[in-house]
Amino acid sequence: MCNPPWIPATPHSTLDNAVYDPGSRMLFRFLNGLTDHLEPGGEGWLVLSDLAEHLGLRTRDDLLTAITAAGLKVVERLDTKPTHPKASDRDDPLFEARTAEVTSLWRLVRR
């Protein structure tokens, strides 16, 4: 299971690595290495907000292409809308993107 960071800044500390992921490197490393860790019939789970997509930091096509290129396929995607306070805070600079945000559990298996 992986819930990768998504902010495209350069990490300068261990804590920054939990928040910043320039170029979606952690996400793509997870996907590219997943098949090596799956038992027959096993699944990898990816928990991912699409906020980066709404902010133009990554496209949905980038994600789907990476999943396919890693030899994986999606067997199910479960979606939910966030309910945290920032999702309804009109003063938040990311309000417009947050109103469209969906967080998904992607269930992945070998192709």
Side-chain angles (χ1 to χ4, degrees), residues 1-3 30 34 38 43-47 105-108:
M1 190 205 143
C2 182
N3 180 6
F30 169 75
L34 184 57
L38 291 178
E43 293 184 7
W45 290 3
L46 175 64
V47 176
L105 167 64
W106 297 76
R107 293 180 47 220
L108 307 169

Side-chain angles (χ1 to χ4, degrees), residues 17-86:
N17 284 314
V19 180
Y20 304 137
D21 186 26
S24 300
R25 289 183 310 196
M26 181 183 178
L27 169 62
F28 297 138
R29 270 195 324 263
F30 169 75
L31 294 171
N32 288 328
L34 184 57
T35 58
D36 294 338
H37 299 280
L38 291 178
E39 297 287 332
E43 293 184 7
W45 290 3
L46 175 64
V47 176
L48 193 64
S49 162
D50 67 355
L51 193 56
E53 295 172 21
H54 295 292
L55 297 175
L57 303 173
R58 181 184 59 243
T59 68
R60 177 58 53 103
D61 191 50
D62 291 340
L63 176 62
L64 296 175
T65 298
I67 289 170
T68 300
L72 299 164
K73 68 177 180 178
V74 178
V75 293
E76 183 178 25
R77 191 182 87 211
L78 304 169
D79 297 331
T80 188
K81 296 284 284 176
T83 58
H84 54 76
K86 285 188 176 188

